Amino acid sequence: MAGIFLTTLCCIAAFVGAFVLRFDFGRIPEAQLPSLGMGLPLMVVVRMITLWGFKVHRGLYRYTSLHDVLLLFKAVSVGSLVFIPLWLATGGHHVFMPRSIYILDWMLCLSLLVGVRASVRLWRIHFQTARPAGAAAERALVVGAGNLGETILRIVDRRFFGQDMEVVGFVDQNPVKHGGRIHGVPVLGDTKDVREFIKEHGIDVVLFAISEPREGLFEEIVASCDGLHVRFNTVSLLKDASTGEVRVERMRGLKIEDLLGRKPVEVDVRPVREGLAGQTVLVSGAGGSIGSELCRQISSFAPQRIVLLDAAESPLFEIDRELRERYPDLDIYPVIGDIKHPEVVERVFAETRPGFVYHAAAYKHVPLMQTHPDEAVLNNVRGTRHLAEAARRHACKRFVMISTDKAVRPTNVMGATKRMCELLIQSMNRPAVKSADPGTVFAAVRFGNVLGSNGSVIPIFQKQIDAGGPISVTHPEMTRYFMTIPEAVSLVLQCGIIAEPRDIFVLDMGTPVKIMDLARNMIRLSGLREGVDISINITGLRPGEKMYEELVAYGEELKPTFVPKINVLKQAENPLANEVLSTAVRHLEALAVGRHTEKVKELLYRLIGFDAELNQRLLTGFSEKCVHRLIDRWPEAVEIPPVECKTAPKGRVLAVVGRLELGAALRQVLAGVGYEVDSLDSVAEALKLLSSDRAYSAVLCDVIMPRSTAWELHERIRAMTLDLPVIAMSEYDCKTIGELLEVEICMPILRKPFSPREFEAALDSYSDPSVNVVPEPGGVQQLD
């Protein structure tokens, strides 16, 4: 009511004020008093009706914004345009009103209505949100002077998040914005100077306000603030999976996934919505990290029914309760059941008749599965077989299995079981099957670690930090791929729609992250200092653990799809027919039921075609002890010419090695025959160097390097039209490498530790294609 009263008062004051202004604040002529008396009630009625029609009365004065001002402009303008013909039709033909009154009234009415609202808002900002005497607000620096930064400033000023902060300034990478102001707050400078601004202005908290930062930006800023004892906050942007709408939800502390800088994937959700709408969808492992997110996103696409299958009671209860609260009209069917039991699986499929199956149930912890291979086979392999066979029997449209990067050249039981599942899924599409095939499309999606999943490294690190440390890292050079759970699941749903029979999809995981860097960043985000407040312990690789993971193996080729960040694997046919593979899998399961753990491992690795022990050694390299022995003993184990016999420099050799320490050993060995050695541990850096500096005589490289191989480097150098000898190095002989990797050796391979003379012989053999291996010399001491 107070608002209606103030609005009426403003309309009256504007009309009367128009007459006062028209006659220069003097006495209004008596001839004009009739037009004032007759026009005032008509104007007030017209104004109130038009303002009501534009719903101006619904806007709260204390939250007046530019939107409200534009609405008032429209309402007042329409009111004036309506008043003029009404006045001329009623009293204007015998009572004269100056035309300037119309314009003055419009201006005064708009000014008064906007002014009243602005005054209320200013009063609220400056008085209601005033801090008590002596109260100190946290001083904040906002990273990002764009739309999100301006939004955060307004939110912080109004204390909508219940936090008392004062924004001191902005920083931004765009030099055009430097020196400018946003609502009176200065843009201090560039993001690279954050540390100096924190010291200069006494900053307590850094607010990140960039929705799509470049890769590594947040990490650089956090690292630059090391030891300053500042907090790092940002805002959660809530995105609706079905509509793509984004809004600011709440302020929160910066998380480790924010530092990875992965750009949000933008995919067209319409095919997923059209594919899942009205369907019955079954999700196995519905209570897990991936399974529960699958349930959330699938539910947003209006399926007819969603079936939640899990053996764990509590997680299943939680996701069931969450979905019922968010989607009260959705038919949700929770089932407690173990996929190892075929009768349970058959009952679920017979009762629900799902059209889509997303299989996320699996044992995933590497050390546990390494000591319990029988359980790994029964749950991962047998459970997958039960679900896949039931899906085919009941004419499901699509069956999508969640795989892992650990299935690539697996060195552990868990990875081997997932590779076995991939082969099993592919074989289900074979036309060799004699039973009636209703056309179920079977596919798998392979990706790396997801951030924040149950039992993953990040929650473990956080618990160790909360307990005061130390943080346990298995190896300082270990790397892993990471992706957020919502991003991975959104791509999995896309794969389910575009899948063709036998497809194995591989998600683009971006750049691998060092686990040591991850631990250090989490220490910084907690406001602690490494080595002062908390320490990092190196514990050594666990059984079956790799130094780095891969997404494709030798013989596999990736082809991009039309969906961003989704590739499909093009590979050779599985040599085992479905009947043969099914028989072998059942024999494997029988061994697991009988708890013959060693025989389970042996048959499992034989079926997937890898020697686990050799694969483990090849991928992880020597143990730390053995590496240091190699570095220390290499120069002593081979014959190196004495210093006085060394010849003039013969040339430069570029060594691309997995460990730079080995580069130092090479430098000492090859100096004996007059070669200078530069060493790098990155193939990309090596190619960049070779493109600009062509003064090298040869390239030495490890057979296996992170994310590359010697033959791949050889081909890329050839593509650069460089006539440069490329010689590989390995701890294994040529025959072992050829059998293990199933490749034809087409380049010289030196077995470490080699002598300077052997290197020269390999260099000479490069021009003779018939010589592809330098024999291991007699008398050279070999390492265990």
Side-chain angles (χ1 to χ4, degrees):
M1 293 300 294
I4 295 175
F5 174 75
L6 282 174
T7 300
T8 306
L9 200 61
C10 287
C11 294
I12 295 172
F15 195 74
V16 174
F19 277 86
V20 173
L21 286 175
R22 169 63 180 79
F23 297 105
D24 301 325
F25 296 94
R27 186 169 179 270
I28 300 174
E30 291 186 7
Q32 294 300 323
L33 290 178
S35 62
L36 174 60
M38 294 176 61
L40 180 58
L42 179 62
M43 177 60 81
V44 171
V45 171
V46 170
R47 287 274 185 239
M48 297 304 292
I49 291 174
T50 53
L51 290 170
W52 186 275
F54 279 88
K55 297 180 174 57
V56 172
H57 61 287
R58 294 186 179 180
L60 299 177
Y61 285 17
R62 55 183 173 176
Y63 298 127
T64 297
S65 64
L66 183 60
H67 171 75
D68 298 299
V69 173
L70 292 174
L71 203 62
L72 284 170
F73 175 83
K74 294 176 184 177
V76 172
S77 299
V78 170
S80 296
L81 292 175
V82 171
F83 171 78
I84 295 172
L86 281 178
W87 170 253
L88 294 176
T90 55
H93 61 282
H94 53 79
V95 178
F96 174 74
M97 181 184 292
R99 287 188 294 270
S100 57
I101 295 295
Y102 307 141
I103 298 174
L104 292 171
D105 170 74
W106 175 85
M107 295 172 57
L108 287 173
C109 186
L110 182 60
S111 300
L112 288 172
L113 290 174
V114 172
V116 168
R117 284 162 171 75
S119 299
V120 172
R121 177 175 175 179
L122 289 172
W123 176 84
R124 178 183 178 275
I125 291 174
H126 291 286
F127 293 97
Q128 284 193 344
T129 62
R131 299 181 183 91
E138 287 188 306
R139 297 173 65 81
L141 179 69
V142 179
V143 178
N147 292 334
L148 186 56
E150 187 270 342
T151 300
I152 287 181
L153 173 62
R154 287 189 286 109
I155 289 173
V156 168
D157 275 350
R158 299 173 192 174
R159 294 194 286 177
F160 282 172
F161 291 139
Q163 300 181 15
D164 201 1
M165 291 184 185
E166 177 189 359
V167 176
V168 175
F170 292 86
V171 291
D172 198 280
Q173 291 180 293
N174 187 351
V176 176
K177 298 178 181 179
H178 298 170
R181 287 180 175 268
I182 300 176
H183 300 313
V185 179
V187 181
L188 300 174
D190 199 275
T191 53
K192 66 177 183 292
D193 300 319
V194 166
R195 185 178 183 89
E196 286 68 28
F197 293 138
I198 289 174
K199 292 179 179 179
E200 180 181 347
H201 296 279
I203 301 299
D204 301 304
V205 58
V206 177
L207 302 176
F208 289 90
I210 305 177
S211 56
E212 296 185 18
R214 68 166 173 80
E215 186 173 351
L217 175 63
F218 285 7
E219 184 177 7
E220 292 169 7
I221 293 174
V222 170
S224 73
C225 301
D226 204 9
L228 292 183
H229 297 287
V230 294
R231 294 200 337 271
F232 301 97
N233 281 6
T234 186
V235 291
S236 290
L237 298 176
L238 191 62
K239 182 173 182 179
D240 190 319
S242 61
T243 64
E245 181 183 353
V246 179
R247 69 175 186 272
V248 175
E249 182 186 24
R250 60 186 174 86
M251 186 175 289
R252 60 171 175 81
L254 203 66
K255 297 179 181 178
I256 192 67
E257 48 260 51
D258 298 315
L259 301 189
L260 297 181
R262 284 184 62 85
K263 292 184 178 180
V265 59
E266 297 293 337
V267 294
D268 187 0
V269 298
R270 288 176 298 177
V272 179
R273 185 185 300 112
E274 293 168 0
L276 297 180
Q279 297 288 331
T280 296
V281 184
L282 184 148
V283 179
S284 71
S289 305
I290 298 292
S292 60
E293 183 63 23
L294 275 168
C295 295
R296 293 183 191 99
Q297 294 195 24
I298 290 170
S299 298
S300 69
F301 295 114
Q304 179 183 3
R305 169 188 274 188
I306 183 167
V307 182
L308 316 179
L309 176 60
D310 205 301
E313 174 195 13
S314 296
L316 183 63
F317 170 79
E318 291 297 332
I319 187 61
D320 177 49
R321 182 177 60 83
E322 177 186 335
L323 293 181
R324 291 185 187 278
E325 290 178 357
R326 293 176 62 179
Y327 305 98
D329 298 329
L330 179 61
D331 183 2
I332 302 171
Y333 188 81
V335 179
I336 296 178
D338 195 332
I339 60 174
K340 295 196 293 287
H341 303 309
E343 65 278 7
V344 172
V345 174
E346 177 61 28
R347 174 176 57 83
V348 172
F349 274 79
E351 291 178 357
T352 62
R353 297 283 179 176
F356 284 74
V357 175
Y358 289 91
H359 174 34
Y363 287 153
K364 64 179 182 179
H365 294 289
V366 170
L368 282 176
M369 295 306 99
Q370 202 66 20
T371 54
H372 298 85
D374 48 348
E375 288 298 330
V377 166
L378 291 176
N379 189 79
N380 293 0
V381 179
R382 172 180 271 190
T384 298
R385 180 175 65 82
H386 288 162
L387 284 171
E389 290 176 350
R392 188 167 59 182
R393 280 196 305 272
H394 292 276
C396 290
K397 295 180 180 179
R398 295 178 183 271
F399 183 103
V400 181
M401 186 197 77
I402 305 299
S403 187
T404 170
D405 55 358
K406 293 176 176 61
V408 180
R409 298 196 297 176
T411 59
N412 53 68
V413 169
M414 194 282 280
T417 60
K418 296 301 283 186
R419 178 55 184 157
M420 189 72 253
C421 291
E422 288 183 353
L423 296 175
L424 192 62
I425 288 300
Q426 284 186 307
S427 72
M428 299 296 290
N429 288 295
R430 283 179 171 273
V433 180
K434 303 301 182 183
S435 60
D437 189 350
T440 304
V441 174
F442 291 89
V445 184
R446 186 189 291 173
F447 54 92
N449 297 345
V450 288
L451 294 165
S453 65
N454 297 329
S456 68
V457 66
I458 292 175
I460 292 173
F461 282 175
Q462 192 59 56
K463 288 180 181 178
Q464 292 174 339
I465 291 173
D466 294 341
I471 295 179
S472 300
V473 176
T474 56
H475 195 283
E477 299 300 320
M478 178 176 285
T479 62
R480 288 293 182 266
Y481 289 102
F482 286 99
M483 178 180 277
T484 64
I485 295 177
E487 180 183 7
V489 167
S490 68
L491 294 176
V492 167
L493 294 179
Q494 292 281 339
C495 293
I497 299 301
I498 67 175
E500 297 291 337
R502 301 188 68 253
D503 275 349
I504 293 181
F505 294 100
V506 180
L507 304 187
D508 180 359
M509 299 293 296
T511 306
V513 177
K514 273 191 176 183
I515 301 300
M516 179 64 81
D517 293 342
L518 203 66
R520 287 171 173 158
N521 283 329
M522 291 189 68
I523 289 174
R524 294 186 184 110
L525 291 180
S526 301
L528 305 176
R529 293 167 294 173
E530 180 190 353
V532 179
D533 305 309
I534 195 170
S535 62
I536 298 177
N537 285 352
I538 307 300
T539 60
L541 294 177
R542 297 174 294 183
E545 196 169 38
K546 294 183 183 180
M547 282 282 291
Y548 60 91
E549 299 289 1
E550 303 163 287
L551 293 170
V552 292
Y554 295 109
E556 296 179 337
E557 179 185 346
L558 286 182
K559 297 188 302 181
T561 67
F562 62 87
V563 180
K565 295 193 177 183
I566 297 180
N567 302 298
V568 66
L569 206 60
K570 178 184 177 182
Q571 59 181 11
E573 286 281 326
N574 177 14
L576 295 178
N578 180 265
E579 294 89 340
V580 178
L581 185 62
S582 179
T583 302
V585 166
R586 289 176 187 274
H587 181 51
L588 178 66
E589 294 171 9
L591 291 175
V593 170
R595 308 303 174 186
H596 304 292
T597 55
E598 291 304 317
K599 291 183 178 179
V600 166
K601 287 184 182 180
E602 182 182 350
L603 180 57
L604 178 63
Y605 286 123
R606 198 185 319 147
L607 286 175
I608 62 174
F610 285 98
D611 184 317
E613 181 182 354
L614 279 179
N615 210 16
Q616 167 77 6
R617 291 173 64 194
L618 184 62
L619 288 172
T620 59
F622 286 142
S623 64
E624 283 297 310
K625 179 180 178 182
C626 198
V627 167
H628 290 301
R629 288 175 62 194
L630 174 60
I631 295 170
D632 295 339
R633 293 170 50 187
W634 192 340
E636 300 173 3
V638 297
E639 182 182 351
I640 301 177
V643 175
E644 59 271 14
C645 297
K646 292 179 182 178
T647 59
K650 294 181 179 179
R652 293 164 63 197
V653 175
L654 178 62
V656 188
V657 293
R659 297 171 180 273
L660 288 176
E661 300 99 315
L662 295 181
L666 282 171
R667 191 174 297 113
Q668 183 178 353
V669 170
L670 297 188
V673 286
Y675 285 95
E676 299 176 353
V677 177
D678 297 331
S679 55
L680 293 171
D681 61 354
S682 166
V683 171
E685 290 297 321
L687 292 170
K688 183 178 179 181
L689 179 61
L690 289 172
S691 65
S692 60
D693 186 353
R694 304 200 171 201
Y696 287 99
S697 306
V699 174
L700 265 174
C701 59
D702 281 329
V703 167
I704 301 296
M705 295 168 285
R707 298 172 297 283
S708 191
T709 64
W711 2 102
E712 290 170 1
L713 177 60
H714 181 271
E715 290 303 318
R716 295 178 72 174
I717 289 177
R718 288 292 164 271
M720 296 167 62
T721 66
L722 290 177
D723 187 18
L724 190 64
V726 181
I727 302 170
M729 306 178 290
S730 176
E731 292 83 20
Y732 304 102
D733 57 62
C734 177
K735 180 180 178 183
T736 300
I737 294 171
E739 291 177 351
L740 179 63
L741 303 181
E742 299 179 353
V743 296
E744 182 180 351
I745 307 301
C746 58
M747 59 194 303
I749 295 183
L750 289 168
R751 184 171 183 183
K752 304 173 192 174
F754 53 82
S755 69
R757 301 304 178 194
E758 290 175 294
F759 168 75
E760 290 193 313
L763 204 56
D764 293 339
S765 74
Y766 196 86
S767 58
D768 183 0
S770 64
V771 181
N772 55 25
V773 180
V774 178
E776 179 182 326
V780 175
Q781 187 174 12
Q782 299 299 317
L783 300 178
D784 298 332

